[in-house]
Amino acid sequence: MPSLLQFLPSPTKRAPMGALPLLLVAALAFAGPQPAAAAGPPAAAAPVVTSTTAASMTLDALAEAHGRYFGSATDNPELSDAAYTATLGSEFGQITPGNSMKWDTIEPQQGQFNFAKGDAVVDFAQQHGQSIHAHNLVWHSQLPSWVSALPTGQVRAAMENHITTEAGHYKGEVYAWDVVNEPFNDDGTYRTDAFYNAMGTAYIGDALRTAHAADPGAELYINDYNIEGSGAKADAMYRLVSQLKADGVPIDGVGFQTHLAVQYGFPSGMRANLQRFADLGLDVAVTELDVRVQLPADAAKSATQSDYYRQVVEACLGVARCVGITVWDYTDKYSWVPSTFPGQGSACLYDENLQPKAAYDAVRAALGGGSGGGDDGGGGGTGNSALLVQYRNNDQNATDNQIKPGLRLVNTGGGAVDLSTVTLRYWFTADDPGGSPAATFDTWCDYAVIGCGTVTHRVAAASGSPAGADHYLEVGFSSGSLAAGASTGDIQLRLNKTGWTAFDESDDYSRTTGASYADAPRITAYLGGALAYGIEP
Ligand code: G3I
């Protein structure tokens, strides 16, 4: 059984979920993804978050049920917009100041520090029980001209003084710092900014050490964009943080900004990429998420945007050390995109009128929550009690002795579904050479957002032994109700033959090799015993 501390970013530092009630923290010890044992009974059941409960939970509460936070960037001018702050203060558990703590705001002239804007954001967050991921200390942009004009011999002292003064001012107030922001060009070479020109790559370690000395309790991050998927820039960041760890430099996390655009495709292998950084002993976080489209937006772009948001959430939930997701402001009303990319926009979860969009629903569903009423611009649901099954393969080895499907059931209809009337079938072959006596099976639920205690599972022989499917894993639910638009969230299942002989899954009817959730018409769903989704073998 994993300990509570495994689900907090670092046992020795401040947790990101500042207002987390103790009982919920305790529950989170059971709620995080649970590594499947090679054999034996499933781990203790996760706490039951019913779909009815989930439908009324905030994004942050849904994320907290996975041991993560869900946050938003904000900025000072917006804090006087009461309609905006009402949602900012309630839906999100973490705040990143979009501009208020940058060098040009904090120290516009050398040695003259002005913390008023940063303090205002901290005050807002504290009043709303939100943690602060502070942003940022060392960056080539929004850097006052006096820094770039310094003789190279004076840059280190100026940088260290800036870090010491600012991180010292916010000591104890912020959960994390983006100490170094965007050190790389897109090809993975280092940016030749004032800091690099003065100190070479040594400025990065120096900045981290200086920040650690100023606020030893803060999680220290390097943050960049276009490192979400595999590629030269991600590889460069990986080499950098590997070296920093090897050198004993205080670094705790890597921030993946995740400014996506539907026209450029989704970053390849995001989950695996996050995981390799986590495997270095670092936290990872999605720090500045938005997904822009070329205007005007339409239903197709909106659908792709929703899908990208969903994939980002799933990538984070799929990596135990991904501590949270922050959107780069939650509403198109205050998005940075249109002024930077003319002709593009509509990048946020809420529209300019502060109404949730389809992307918001996609995030909710990916977090295991119900519909929040987002407008998909393309019509409503598909009727009462429509079911959708999504699947991912949690075991890429097709010839070992276990089968590990990940399943999610989504209610795409307009009314609630009584889960006790629903069953799902994952079709596979037993690959039982002797066949006499016929294979028997053990089945396990290793983890379920709704709690394994409500998930039933068994293997049955398929009548007629259709190709690729002489058996099926049948999954049901002992109780619960799935609200319109809601998802059960991740259900991690596992089965083996009692004799532990190997399978050959390569020809199994329901199996794909997809490691991320996707619609799965070869996994069938039944309502009251009648086929409600998918195609039987
Ligand atoms: O404060 C001045 C105001 O006085 C002036 O009237 C106005 C005129 O344009 O400009 C204001 O400054 C703007 C500033 O945001 C504050 O609103 C700058 O022009 C504008 O360039 C600046 O944009 C910020 C951008 O960083 C600068 O690179 C965005 O708001 C901010 O969201 C964005 O955030 C960055 C992250 O820090 C790092 N990752 C990328 C992300 C998006 O670019």
Side-chain angles (χ1 to χ4, degrees):
M1 191 66 215
S3 76
L4 164 64
L5 294 179
Q6 282 176 271
F7 293 95
L8 297 176
S10 167
T12 57
K13 300 203 174 180
R14 287 187 286 280
M17 293 166 281
L20 211 55
L22 189 60
L23 281 176
L24 182 51
V25 172
L28 289 176
F30 299 89
Q34 312 223 345
V48 175
V49 177
T50 67
S51 54
T52 311
T53 311
S56 61
M57 289 164 74
T58 65
L59 293 181
D60 185 61
L62 290 167
E64 285 186 4
H66 298 275
R68 275 79 170 174
Y69 59 79
F70 202 99
S72 175
T74 191
D75 208 353
N76 300 88
E78 307 155 28
L79 295 178
S80 57
D81 178 341
Y84 166 83
T85 56
T87 297
L88 182 72
S90 58
E91 191 80 32
F92 303 96
Q94 174 272 333
I95 294 290
T96 300
N99 286 300
S100 332
M101 293 187 181
K102 290 173 177 173
W103 197 315
D104 61 351
T105 299
I106 296 292
E107 192 187 6
Q109 278 84 42
Q110 188 165 18
Q112 295 181 16
F113 289 84
N114 184 347
F115 295 108
K117 289 183 175 176
D119 290 355
V121 175
V122 170
D123 287 347
F124 180 91
Q126 290 179 345
Q127 285 162 15
H128 294 85
Q130 297 160 312
S131 62
I132 297 265
H133 184 119
H135 174 83
N136 56 57
L137 291 168
V138 180
W139 187 27
H140 73 93
S141 181
Q142 288 171 285
L143 184 67
S145 53
W146 68 262
V147 181
S148 305
L150 287 172
T152 53
Q154 296 178 24
V155 174
R156 178 189 294 267
M159 182 188 82
E160 291 178 352
N161 185 54
H162 180 78
I163 294 170
T164 300
T165 307
E166 180 166 8
H169 178 82
Y170 290 113
K171 180 180 179 182
E173 310 279 353
V174 304
Y175 151 64
W177 264 111
D178 288 330
V179 177
V180 175
N181 197 41
E182 302 176 5
F184 292 110
N185 297 309
D186 272 351
D187 64 359
T189 58
Y190 282 94
R191 279 182 197 276
T192 50
D193 59 13
F195 310 104
Y196 182 89
N197 289 340
M199 292 171 265
T201 59
Y203 86 88
I204 297 171
D206 190 67
L208 287 159
R209 288 190 181 96
T210 307
H212 183 66
D215 186 355
E219 302 280 327
L220 304 184
Y221 276 68
I222 301 178
N223 188 50
D224 214 327
Y225 62 89
N226 286 352
I227 59 167
E228 294 77 24
S230 58
K233 194 172 184 181
D235 289 347
M237 180 66 87
Y238 184 80
R239 284 192 298 273
L240 168 63
V241 296
S242 300
Q243 190 61 51
L244 291 169
K245 289 287 285 183
D247 292 345
V249 174
I251 176 167
D252 301 295
V254 175
F256 297 77
Q257 294 186 7
T258 321
H259 293 293
L260 305 182
V262 299
Q263 66 269 26
Y264 298 140
F266 191 81
S268 80
M270 181 170 180
R271 173 173 151 159
N273 188 47
L274 297 185
Q275 186 65 57
R276 70 170 169 155
F277 284 88
D279 289 344
L280 293 173
L282 293 165
D283 288 342
V284 296
V286 174
T287 50
E288 303 185 12
L289 175 62
D290 49 25
V291 183
R292 62 186 184 271
V293 306
Q294 287 167 320
L295 299 173
D298 60 22
K301 293 172 191 172
S302 168
T304 305
Q305 178 187 58
S306 296
D307 188 59
Y308 283 18
Y309 270 106
R310 174 184 66 77
Q311 290 191 59
V312 170
V313 173
E314 288 178 358
C316 182
L317 295 185
V319 176
R321 291 200 68 151
C322 182
V323 297
I325 297 170
T326 308
V327 290
W328 205 241
D329 226 315
Y330 74 83
T331 164
D332 293 333
K333 187 174 184 181
Y334 297 120
S335 171
W336 68 291
V337 169
S339 62
T340 304
F341 299 101
Q344 298 182 48
S346 191
C348 301
L349 296 179
Y350 292 65
D351 68 18
E352 293 189 352
N353 298 314
L354 306 178
Q355 298 304 305
K357 304 187 324 198
Y360 170 88
D361 284 349
V363 167
R364 287 193 71 83
L367 291 170
S371 171
D375 177 7
D376 63 6
T382 54
N384 196 32
S385 298
L387 295 178
L388 165 68
V389 179
Q390 295 176 322
Y391 159 81
R392 77 174 179 210
N393 189 338
N394 289 325
D395 175 12
Q396 293 299 317
N397 185 342
T399 56
D400 64 1
N401 55 16
Q402 296 187 79
I403 299 176
K404 299 177 183 173
L407 300 181
R408 293 193 308 207
L409 176 69
V410 183
N411 178 4
T412 57
V417 171
D418 177 356
L419 279 175
S420 68
T421 66
V422 177
T423 51
L424 312 176
R425 288 183 183 178
Y426 176 93
W427 303 83
F428 68 97
T429 51
D431 306 303
D432 182 24
S436 179
T440 55
F441 300 84
D442 300 316
T443 61
W444 316 100
C445 173
D446 285 323
Y447 170 73
V449 172
I450 61 171
C452 279
T454 65
V455 178
T456 64
H457 36 86
R458 68 178 185 116
V459 166
S463 60
S465 291
D470 54 28
H471 287 76
Y472 56 85
L473 169 65
E474 186 171 75
V475 179
F477 306 90
S478 56
S479 62
S481 173
L482 196 58
S487 164
T488 58
D490 191 18
I491 304 172
Q492 296 177 19
L493 299 149
R494 181 164 53 91
L495 70 94
N496 59 271
K497 283 177 274 191
T498 310
W500 287 99
T501 55
F503 293 100
D504 176 3
E505 298 179 61
S506 56
D507 63 346
D508 286 359
Y509 178 78
S510 292
R511 179 179 183 269
T512 75
T513 55
S516 298
Y517 271 110
D519 297 355
R522 285 172 164 243
I523 300 172
T524 46
Y526 304 83
L527 259 177
L531 184 66
Y533 175 80
I535 304 158
E536 292 183 323

